[in-house]
Amino acid sequence: MNAPVETPLLGRPLLEMRQVTQTYSLARPTLLGTRPSLTVLDHIDFDVRPGEAVGLVGESGSGKTTLTRILTGMEKPREGHVFYNGADIWDGDGERWRTFRRSVQVVMQNPRSSLDPRMRIGVSLLEPLRSLKIEGDHATRVFEVLDQVGLSRQALERYPHEFSGGQLQRIAIARALMPGPKVLIADEPVSALDVSIQAQVLNLLKDLVNNLGLSLVFIAHDLSVVAYTTSRVSVMSAGKIVEVGKPMDLFVRPQAEATRNLVGAILTVESGLAGNALA
Amino acid sequence: MTGTQLNALEVKNLVVHNTALTAVRGLDFTLPAGGRMGLVGESGSGKTLTALALMGLLPMGWQANGTVHHDGVDLIAQSDRALSSRRGRTISMVFQDPLSSLDPVRRIGVQVSSVIRRHTNVGKREAESQTIELFRQMSLPRPEQLMRAYPHEISGGQRQRIMIAMALACYPQLIIADEPTTALDVTVQKQVLRILNAAVKDRGCALMMITHDLPIIAAMCDTVAVMYAGRIVEMGPVAEVFRNPRHHYTKGLLDSQPTMDNIALDGSSRLASIPGMVPPLHSLPAGCAFHPRCAAATEACMTRVPPLDDGSRRTACWHPIEASVAMVTA
Ligand SMILES: Nc1ncnc2c1ncn2[C@@H]1O[C@H](COP(=O)(O)OP(=O)(O)OP(=O)(O)O)[C@@H](O)[C@H]1O
Ligand SMILES: Nc1ncnc2c1ncn2[C@@H]1O[C@H](COP(=O)(O)OP(=O)(O)OP(=O)(O)O)[C@@H](O)[C@H]1O
Ligand code: SF4
Ligand SMILES: [Mg+2]
Ligand SMILES: [Mg+2]
């Protein structure tokens, strides 16, 4: 059962990071002391193939959001490389960068803070096309994307405060889809949502992978949510990837201590009712 | 007078409203002394306003009606002064965000020991040593040093344990915890829940646990009340309600939980999800507020509010789940 994770027949990685290390320098503890530095990512290898859904789990502060920032090109790593379609994103011309920027899109945890409260939804949706200077029939694209995420056209005229958290997360996903990305990166996309709404958004992400052939990188600290959405999961702890496996193998036979802690932390209704969940 | 010694709370027809909106629309429940009740419901269903009404801490413009019997008095009829002397003594609350309820510029030890001194007549020294003992019970590391720390110098999980210590300081009869672990990492969350659970058990105080996380309620409570749009729609012993939900909303919540059982190995699984969304307070549907999202809704559901029936297992539904099977075949 515990065979190494076989690589699905999906070809070579679409987006990958190789031996990425990221350090931040911290404030000097004393006036004359040296600046200590904090290694947040330590020689990380990570990749996603076309049409594949991969997960990244880890406790708070393990480096997940830092990894997201590097994977999306928002931050340049101190050491190592990020490749899109085999080419180094930091080592090429403007055209390569533009292709990368429209191909890799991100959905953040809190949809309320990621949408401008003064902008109508329609304007927010067009914004990525404008900033990436993407030409074409924008109106048709907006309608197409609204259909994909299951929102009605009336949403376009409204403002963020008129929507619930789950609807706003749909809108944030729609906005990420606008430039026609190949990879969607979602950093804790459901932790701010209610349970019944969480399920809607998780199902939507799953459908997008299946119907549009998107690659998905799903990041969370709750292993059960990640397991539902992805087929290969990396576990992160203190800036290192300590284990990679199929979700079910991680549940049943966690190897690394960090994985065991994450599995042990999961509460379910049944384990709760059994009475020993908090023993 | 009846049963006040036996019950930590007796709530009758609690309504919370402002000039424009009614957010809590008539709650009735009893929490026995030492009982542990979970209050679950979606964002905006009125959980926090219910808790704040019980504490006499409603935000400006909001008002509570009805009766809430606790420790022999009606809390709703009490003056603000009487309530604030009670707060922290017979009834106390743990909030979601500990940073906003701790004073950033006072040392932690001073903040907790002053709660003890305010409500008991012990001296400074004694209050401090009780505080250190409390920190020890919360499994906080190096309690003596912690006394001198400021809130920003410790982690979120430690801060939440300090809040629990503060809530427990005077051996209250009732603790209300509103999403006490939502802001915490899963691993820290479990540790904090374990400590809260043990502390409440040791002291035999009653607990009202507010969360939208069903597993937490399953682990910590003996009864659960499910709220939807300001009303309790189902209530009963936690194992019965979670294993055999009778209200369609409760069942929907349970079905949408990702668990090991509903994750298929080949990734083909789908979570059941409740269609639609929670209705806004200003345009609540008539009849059962859940009807636009309910597959079992009939004419009756759209026009008449289903009453919450009496007994140990209570449901507000015209077609509760077991009965609806019989109705279809009839
Ligand atoms: N710009 C920065 N300067 C200094 N330290 C930073 C910076 N950004 C992040 N860190 C630190 O790097 C570590 C990893 O942070 P990161 O946000 O990547 O963690 P995370 O896994 O996303 O955590 P969470 O689950 O809480 O979101 C933390 O210790 C954080 O304090
Ligand atoms: N200070 C306030 N001003 C205006 N409306 C408020 C205020 N506090 C709460 N409300 C409204 O009252 C309703 C009930 O809110 P409440 O905070 O009790 O919900 P809740 O069940 O605790 O939700 P959550 O799970 O998001 O904490 C909501 O519709 C909310 O928008
Ligand atoms: S009363 Fe009707 S609409 Fe409401 S939950 Fe029951 S069946 Fe559904
Ligand atoms: Mg993060
Ligand atoms: Mg609340």
Side-chain angles (χ1 to χ4, degrees):
Chain A
M1 273 296 282
N2 214 8
V5 187
E6 71 254 50
T7 311
L9 298 173
L10 292 162
R12 61 193 170 94
L14 184 57
L15 180 62
E16 65 178 318
M17 57 167 66
R18 287 289 157 245
Q19 293 294 301
V20 162
T21 293
Q22 187 68 326
T23 53
Y24 295 116
S25 46
L26 304 175
R28 287 191 180 88
T30 58
L31 206 58
L32 298 172
T34 47
R35 269 175 179 274
S37 76
L38 178 70
T39 303
V40 176
L41 298 180
D42 189 357
H43 297 91
I44 298 283
D45 288 328
F46 186 83
D47 59 50
V48 60
R49 282 152 223 280
E52 187 188 23
V54 299
L56 181 70
V57 290
E59 72 216 347
S60 183
S62 56
K64 304 182 296 295
T65 296
T66 308
L67 187 145
T68 312
R69 285 203 299 266
I70 290 177
L71 215 47
T72 51
M74 280 185 260
E75 218 172 88
K76 193 172 177 180
R78 183 67 62 97
E79 282 173 42
H81 300 274
V82 179
F83 300 98
Y84 179 73
N85 233 340
D88 191 329
I89 64 162
W90 292 104
D91 182 20
D93 53 15
E95 189 50 39
R96 182 185 290 178
W97 180 251
R98 244 167 51 86
T99 312
F100 165 74
R101 286 306 295 268
R102 62 184 286 183
S103 307
V104 176
Q105 291 292 317
V106 61
V107 178
M108 302 302 279
Q109 172 168 354
N110 191 342
R112 244 170 249 288
S113 58
S114 59
L115 290 164
D116 188 333
R118 293 155 307 177
M119 265 191 206
R120 289 181 200 273
I121 300 305
V123 180
S124 276
L125 288 181
L126 289 174
E127 207 275 323
L129 298 187
R130 208 163 290 143
S131 71
L132 291 163
K133 300 198 177 59
I134 296 172
E135 321 258 287
D137 184 351
H138 289 178
T140 310
R141 180 67 190 147
V142 167
F143 293 150
E144 194 175 61
V145 164
L146 282 180
D147 275 352
Q148 286 166 355
V149 301
L151 282 172
S152 79
R153 295 182 182 192
Q154 283 139 20
L156 296 173
E157 295 301 317
R158 292 158 64 189
Y159 290 93
H161 74 262
E162 299 174 63
F163 293 93
S164 69
Q167 287 179 310
L168 280 183
Q169 197 57 296
R170 261 171 213 277
I171 292 165
I173 292 171
R175 195 178 54 166
L177 292 175
M178 282 299 293
K182 301 284 188 288
V183 184
L184 202 60
I185 301 181
D187 189 358
E188 302 273 7
V190 298
S191 11
L193 306 179
D194 271 315
V195 247
S196 79
I197 308 297
Q198 273 189 19
Q200 291 178 7
V201 172
L202 293 174
N203 286 335
L204 170 63
L205 288 171
K206 226 168 165 164
D207 290 344
L208 292 173
V209 172
N210 294 337
N211 303 342
L212 303 180
L214 274 185
S215 304
L216 176 70
V217 178
F218 190 104
I219 297 160
H221 62 224
D222 184 345
L223 187 53
S224 47
V225 170
V226 176
Y228 174 68
T229 335
T230 65
S231 56
R232 180 165 63 104
V233 178
S234 301
V235 181
M236 211 165 163
S237 174
K240 290 197 170 74
I241 292 197
V242 293
E243 186 166 1
V244 183
K246 286 187 183 171
M248 208 41 89
D249 290 341
L250 295 182
F251 270 119
V252 181
R253 263 179 229 81
Q255 304 290 317
E257 193 190 336
T259 319
R260 282 199 295 275
N261 288 341
L262 288 170
V263 172
I266 295 172
L267 274 179
T268 63
V269 167
E270 272 311 318
S271 75
L273 292 179
N276 48 8
L278 297 177
Chain B
M1 277 301 287
T2 46
T4 41
Q5 299 314 313
L6 294 173
N7 291 326
L9 269 184
E10 281 174 29
V11 176
K12 292 216 172 68
N13 199 24
L14 177 66
V15 172
V16 181
H17 62 96
N18 62 18
T19 48
L21 300 167
T22 304
V24 176
R25 304 190 292 156
L27 301 191
D28 282 283
F29 63 85
T30 300
L31 175 58
R36 301 144 149 267
M37 173 178 154
L39 192 58
V40 67
E42 270 172 280
S43 198
S45 57
K47 305 181 298 294
T48 296
L49 285 179
T50 300
L52 295 178
L54 301 179
M55 292 293 291
L57 287 173
L58 282 173
M60 281 279 278
W62 288 88
Q63 206 195 324
N65 295 114
T67 59
V68 175
H69 280 282
H70 162 76
D71 195 29
V73 295
D74 178 5
L75 295 178
I76 303 290
Q78 296 272 294
S79 69
D80 286 354
R81 270 191 55 198
L83 273 176
S84 79
S85 91
R86 188 166 278 292
R87 225 173 279 142
R89 185 165 50 89
T90 65
I91 174 167
S92 58
M93 185 158 170
V94 181
F95 296 89
Q96 171 170 353
D97 176 13
L99 254 194
S100 65
S101 24
L102 284 167
D103 183 342
V105 298
R106 286 169 75 212
R107 293 185 198 277
I108 285 165
V110 176
Q111 299 195 46
V112 180
S113 59
S114 71
V115 173
I116 298 177
R117 292 186 65 197
R118 194 180 322 138
H119 295 301
T120 59
N121 49 12
V122 302
K124 186 159 178 276
R125 277 287 173 73
E126 172 58 21
E128 280 173 6
S129 69
Q130 285 187 18
T131 304
I132 292 174
E133 177 50 31
L134 265 173
F135 286 177
R136 202 163 277 133
Q137 289 171 21
M138 298 299 118
S139 306
L140 282 159
R142 296 180 303 280
E144 285 86 359
Q145 264 167 278
L146 203 55
M147 295 288 287
R148 305 189 49 75
Y150 290 97
H152 69 268
E153 294 172 332
I154 59 173
S155 77
Q158 290 176 339
R159 255 182 249 139
Q160 199 53 290
R161 277 182 277 168
I162 305 269
M163 291 308 296
I164 294 170
M166 225 148 123
L168 289 166
C170 297
Y171 290 79
Q173 298 162 25
L174 170 65
I175 288 200
I176 302 175
D178 188 1
E179 304 274 6
T181 58
T182 311
L184 305 175
D185 187 318
V186 271
T187 45
V188 182
Q189 170 177 335
K190 195 159 178 179
Q191 184 189 28
V192 170
L193 289 174
R194 191 180 287 143
I195 287 166
L196 176 61
N197 196 39
V200 171
K201 250 184 197 149
D202 284 352
R203 283 151 212 257
C205 71
L207 173 70
M208 184 156 144
M209 184 78 185
I210 299 178
T211 174
H212 58 236
D213 193 325
L214 304 184
I216 291 180
I217 287 180
M220 297 198 51
C221 301
D222 37 51
T223 58
V224 58
V226 182
M227 274 184 89
Y228 190 81
R231 290 207 167 95
I232 292 177
V233 296
E234 178 157 19
M235 188 168 176
V238 69
E240 287 179 34
V241 172
F242 284 179
R243 292 216 169 100
N244 292 302
R246 304 194 65 206
H247 195 279
H248 298 267
Y249 174 62
T250 315
K251 177 152 195 325
L253 280 182
L254 286 158
D255 287 346
S256 44
Q257 299 279 314
T259 67
M260 268 185 72
D261 307 328
N262 59 24
I263 300 169
L265 284 164
D266 61 359
S268 64
S269 52
R270 285 184 72 77
L271 284 174
S273 67
I274 305 176
M277 57 158 183
V278 185
L281 280 184
H282 55 82
S283 58
L284 288 176
C288 171
F290 187 61
H291 85 251
R293 305 174 75 187
C294 181
T298 60
E299 283 296 318
C301 308
M302 294 171 203
T303 50
R304 289 158 48 217
V305 178
L308 185 64
D309 56 19
D310 266 327
S312 71
R313 189 80 157 79
R314 308 168 69 191
T315 316
C317 176
W318 293 120
H319 314 293
I321 285 170
E322 283 153 355
S324 67
V325 178
M327 287 205 23
V328 172
T329 51

